[in-house]
Amino acid sequence: ICLRDRGWEPWADELWLLDSDGTLSARPLADLHSVRSVASPEPPVRLHTLPHRLLMEAERCLLEAAAPAPQSNHIIFQGEMPISSRQRLRAVEVGLAASFLTGTLTVGTHHGAGARHALPVVTLQVTGAVNAPLKAAFIAPPARYATVTIEATASSDFTLHYIHLTLA
């Protein structure tokens, strides 16, 4: 087998080798004796090293070597709001966004014992990309305080825009 082309993949710090039979392999800089096979949706015919990425030229398209997954962060948010004794919590809407999030959103109530002792009213399990508000409708028992807790692992682009509680 002869070497057809080579390129440098900067994200993983790897030397990519394209053999004459179309086999693509990668060797990490830390251990050039280690070799891993690289899958490609189209067989590459040439490799192009650019300052911050590696491109693979195929017969019908140009492919980019995948960048690493965004760093994830553990997120814990807990908020509390007093409620009038004549009103009940009816719904929640949370405006947030993340290219990946896995975790829970919990709405609870308590009578003054503190958020740590709130009784959960509704819990939403979320996994995947979030690009629309999370909403839940329910009827909570009467209470003096409402709590919202978000505990998740999320991509570094996570943003929490607003939390809207509906009372009736």
Side-chain angles (χ1 to χ4, degrees), residues 1-4 18-23:
I1 297 176
C2 294
L3 182 65
R4 180 188 300 170
L18 178 62
D19 293 338
S20 58
D21 67 354
T23 303

Side-chain angles (χ1 to χ4, degrees), residues 11-28:
W11 293 107
D13 211 18
E14 293 176 326
L15 176 63
W16 285 31
L17 304 172
L18 178 62
D19 293 338
S20 58
D21 67 354
T23 303
L24 190 59
S25 61
R27 295 176 183 251

Side-chain angles (χ1 to χ4, degrees), residues 50-126:
L50 300 175
H52 300 288
R53 60 185 168 177
L54 175 69
L55 298 178
M56 297 173 282
E57 182 182 336
E59 288 195 26
R60 296 179 300 171
C61 61
L62 195 61
L63 304 165
E64 182 174 358
Q71 180 181 357
S72 61
N73 301 303
H74 188 70
I75 295 169
I76 299 175
F77 170 85
Q78 191 165 52
E80 181 177 87
M81 180 181 118
I83 301 173
S84 166
S85 60
R86 288 168 280 180
Q87 294 183 309
R88 288 183 178 207
L89 187 58
R90 299 289 177 142
V92 64
E93 180 177 325
V94 179
L96 58 87
S99 55
F100 181 79
L101 183 133
T102 182
T104 59
L105 163 71
T106 304
V107 177
T109 59
H110 68 87
H111 289 283
R116 293 182 63 213
H117 302 287
L119 299 172
V121 175
V122 66
T123 298
L124 303 176
Q125 296 284 337
V126 181

Side-chain angles (χ1 to χ4, degrees), residues 29-45:
L29 176 64
D31 181 12
L32 288 175
H33 298 290
S34 173
V35 179
R36 72 177 176 87
S37 221
V38 178
S40 175
E42 292 278 333
V45 293

